[in-house]
Amino acid sequence: MDMRLRWFLNAEDRLDAWVTRQHQERVLAGRTAPVGPCPDEAFLEGIGRQSKQIALSDPRVDHAANCPVCMRQLLELRFQHQSRRRKLAFTAAVGCCLLIVAAFVVVSWRGTNATHPVDNMAAISETIDLSNAGTLRSLQSDPSQPSPLQSVSLPRALVKVTIILPRYSRPGQYTVAVTHDQSANDPLAHGAAAANGGGDREEVSVDLDLRKSKPGFYFLATTHEQDQASYYYPLQIK
Ligand SMILES: [Zn+2]
């Protein structure tokens, strides 16, 4: 009986598979003598699923292993069970592939954006004319006083901003930053470039990535390389 029941226990082993085939052929050809009546389909399904609730000492197992009717039903049930498992495995594999592809897309998207924020996306060109603007010098600011200055605005985007500096600004390197307050701490975005122009007009162009900023009121700060303090201009991000 042990040999006949091997099929139920382990169909992976080649010798067992061969023995199983030989046995199946004998059963299906009606050359075995099953004992007792045929068990119900639920029981055969349990065998087909290799359910642990079915004891191999159960006489119905011995019957099913020797009855051509039960054997055919078992083979059909096993086929159905396996194709269900294959479908599940296929679905899981497809799901895994989709996840991997999605993760790859996200990672590569983040990677390219982190390393080449300016290259991969067209920056919006904006010009801010401060030639006639007054300034809020950081050391002189009074937060209780509303700013008398006209606020300038920038879009929530990757911006290539050209700032026409206040008249008589010095040439040289400037740092431009978008800040929450009138301090250079924790700017939202910043860039540095040399001013160009001449005479009484200097302008400086920098890329500012404002895509992650929230709409609201900020400051645009300009700092000359040889200047300790920054100039702050009210800025609205829309
Ligand atoms: Zn039977």
Side-chain angles (χ1 to χ4, degrees):
M1 181 167 113
D2 280 350
M3 284 295 275
R4 288 174 186 169
L5 289 176
R6 274 286 181 89
W7 181 79
F8 298 103
L9 296 172
N10 183 3
E12 288 166 17
D13 187 88
R14 279 189 178 197
L15 178 65
D16 284 356
W18 180 79
V19 171
T20 300
R21 267 200 309 279
Q22 298 294 309
H23 175 68
Q24 271 174 18
E25 279 167 20
R26 283 182 60 226
V27 174
L28 293 173
R31 282 187 273 134
T32 50
V35 179
C38 292
D40 57 25
E41 195 173 319
F43 184 82
L44 292 177
E45 269 176 15
I47 297 177
R49 285 200 314 271
Q50 297 177 7
S51 167
K52 291 191 175 94
Q53 285 170 353
I54 290 173
L56 294 177
S57 55
D58 192 318
R60 289 176 294 176
V61 173
D62 196 25
H63 169 93
N66 292 289
C67 168
V69 177
C70 291
M71 181 64 78
R72 276 193 201 94
Q73 216 174 336
L74 258 177
L75 289 172
E76 177 59 25
L77 287 168
R78 189 180 65 152
F79 175 76
Q80 288 172 5
H81 180 61
Q82 282 176 344
S83 64
R84 259 200 308 274
R85 279 209 331 213
R86 268 198 296 274
K87 266 185 209 158
L88 275 175
F90 178 73
T91 309
V94 169
C96 272
C97 287
L98 287 178
L99 273 180
I100 289 166
V101 168
F104 180 76
V105 167
V106 168
V107 166
S108 55
W109 183 83
R110 280 195 184 156
T112 51
N113 276 282
T115 47
H116 307 291
V118 181
D119 298 350
N120 279 343
M121 218 179 142
I124 297 172
S125 290
E126 290 282 335
T127 301
I128 292 176
D129 186 355
L130 299 176
S131 57
N132 290 313
T135 63
L136 291 173
R137 192 79 193 234
S138 57
L139 300 174
Q140 298 165 351
S141 65
D142 180 357
S144 65
Q145 286 264 299
S147 169
L149 302 172
Q150 182 84 40
S151 171
V152 292
S153 70
L154 286 175
R156 245 179 97 208
L158 188 61
V159 187
K160 184 173 189 65
V161 61
T162 300
I163 298 168
I164 302 168
L165 294 166
R167 230 177 282 252
Y168 310 116
S169 292
R170 284 181 287 169
Q173 185 86 4
Y174 279 83
T175 300
V176 176
V178 175
T179 61
H180 291 280
D181 51 26
Q182 291 173 55
S183 76
N185 298 332
D186 192 24
L188 265 76
H190 63 93
N196 49 65
D200 62 353
R201 181 190 158 110
E202 292 284 343
E203 57 180 58
V204 60
S205 287
V206 293
D207 290 309
L208 296 174
D209 188 352
L210 302 175
R211 284 173 294 179
K212 286 180 184 157
S213 58
K214 293 192 184 104
F217 293 94
Y218 299 89
F219 289 93
L220 183 74
T222 62
T223 315
H224 187 262
E225 59 186 337
Q226 286 168 0
D227 205 345
Q228 293 299 313
S230 304
Y231 289 91
Y232 291 90
Y233 306 90
L235 170 73
Q236 187 180 7
I237 294 178
K238 288 178 179 171

